[in-house]
Amino acid sequence: MTATNDRTVTDLGDPITDEEIFAAHEGGKLDIGVPRAISDPRALAIAYTPGVAQVSRAIAADPKLAAKYTWTHRLVAVVSDGTAVLGLGDIGAAASLPVMEGKSALFKTFGGLDSIPLVLNTTDVDEIVETLVRLRPSFGAVNLEDVSAPRCFELEAKLIEALDCPVMHDDQHGTAVVVLAGLLGASRVLGRELGSERVVIAGAGSSGIACAKILIAAGVGEVTLLDSRGIIHAGREGLNWIKEEMAQVTNASGLRGGIAEALRGADVFLGLSSSQVPEELIASMAPDSVVFALSNPDPEVHPDVARRHAAIVATGRSDFPNQINNVSAFPGIFRGALDAGATRITENMKLAAAEAIAAVALDELDADHIMPSALDPRVAPEVAAAVAEAARRDGVA
């Protein structure tokens, strides 16, 4: 990756063609490796019958031994019902599978964790929970992926209650962790505290609500949350249950209206919707503002335009400075949770992950480097160590 003036350019070479894309996915992106060769009768007798019976007897006598003698303690189930896949929407379970395979490839590449994509032909929350409860002996953690809101909130809550292992909806919490990490970096560059900042979040889906929650937990001064109808506030008609809940803890200033009213004098804009924000609204923000325009492939405001008015600009793209990317979070979070033997992922574990990501960037921190690169090999181990320690402090490991 090279920098040209104030723009980062990813060296992809020639334009990527459809032929190249489909060829790379042919046969899928995953296979199962065998860490110990089965190349002679003795190895076969140890790996399978009769030797394997000894291990099965031992686990039957002490189920905790499964963590040592099977892959479950390192195995993440990547689960989706295909209802909110990338920017494609409700495309169904089968069409979501290439995305889930890709997620599994990222788990292995960045976290050293095996994972299995499980796409389910049901959108019924209770059916999904029952399915995963029945499959629980086969995996060590659950990564929910691309499940539509507001069902995703209910599904995650029920799974956390039903399963004795880490469960996390990455679209919610992976996004929230990296957003907080980026805001920590931006605030340090600007020499100000989170408690002094008013953050405006455009988008009240799974990621927007999770970001609002973690920013409040981290001590941000005020969060204003908007959906397609405007500012979410107490007493607004037509709010679903999760937005009603958020109306009680956001918008302390009692603002009414839309994005124009919300952004006037705001310190931080966080875009998590497909809406476009006019330049004049970015210009109406407070001095030394921060803009995180994270919609892909088209940010809510073009970075070059935002930079005319904002001190720090970030996107979800790799071809501009300050990419905010979930891959900085979820491999290390799950690795740390599994390393610690955690039974769940707590708020403190997520906060620790964000701090760990932000800390990796401290040596080169500036307006164009508020986050470490998503490819930085230091990130996942640092996140894993911080998450494992937080799990032990919280008593879930």
Side-chain angles (χ1 to χ4, degrees), residues 3 25 38 43 67 91 167 175 245 276 284 322 326 341 376 378 386:
H25 286 75
I38 303 174
I91 61 174
V167 175
T175 303
E245 179 182 298
Q276 293 295 295
S284 75
N322 296 327
N326 285 32
D376 191 321
R378 299 173 295 170

Side-chain angles (χ1 to χ4, degrees), residues 77 111 214:
I214 201 170

Side-chain angles (χ1 to χ4, degrees), residues 294 302 341 376:
L294 302 188
H302 193 281
D376 191 321

Side-chain angles (χ1 to χ4, degrees), residues 6-18:
D6 61 352
R7 177 169 176 170
T8 301
V9 179
T10 301
D11 184 12
L12 297 177
D14 295 332
I16 300 173
T17 65
D18 285 353

Side-chain angles (χ1 to χ4, degrees), residues 30-77:
L30 303 175
D31 57 27
I32 294 179
V34 180
R36 300 172 187 87
I38 303 174
S39 56
D40 57 50
R42 183 179 182 86
L44 178 60
I46 291 172
Y48 200 52
T49 187
V52 72
Q54 294 292 90
V55 181
S56 292
R57 288 191 190 100
I59 294 172
D62 182 3
K64 291 182 180 177
L65 291 176
K68 182 175 183 180
Y69 294 114
T70 73
W71 71 342
T72 55
H73 74 298
R74 312 297 293 167
L75 186 67
V76 180

Side-chain angles (χ1 to χ4, degrees), residues 187-235:
S187 299
R188 287 165 182 162
V189 169
L190 297 173
R192 61 195 193 201
E193 300 294 325
L194 294 183
S196 69
E197 296 179 322
R198 181 166 72 86
V199 178
V200 173
I201 302 175
S206 59
S207 57
I209 287 174
C211 285
K213 288 182 175 181
I214 201 170
L215 294 180
I216 292 168
V220 164
E222 183 177 351
V223 173
T224 305
L225 184 62
L226 296 97
D227 62 11
S228 59
R229 295 176 54 202
I231 296 170
I232 292 174
H233 58 81

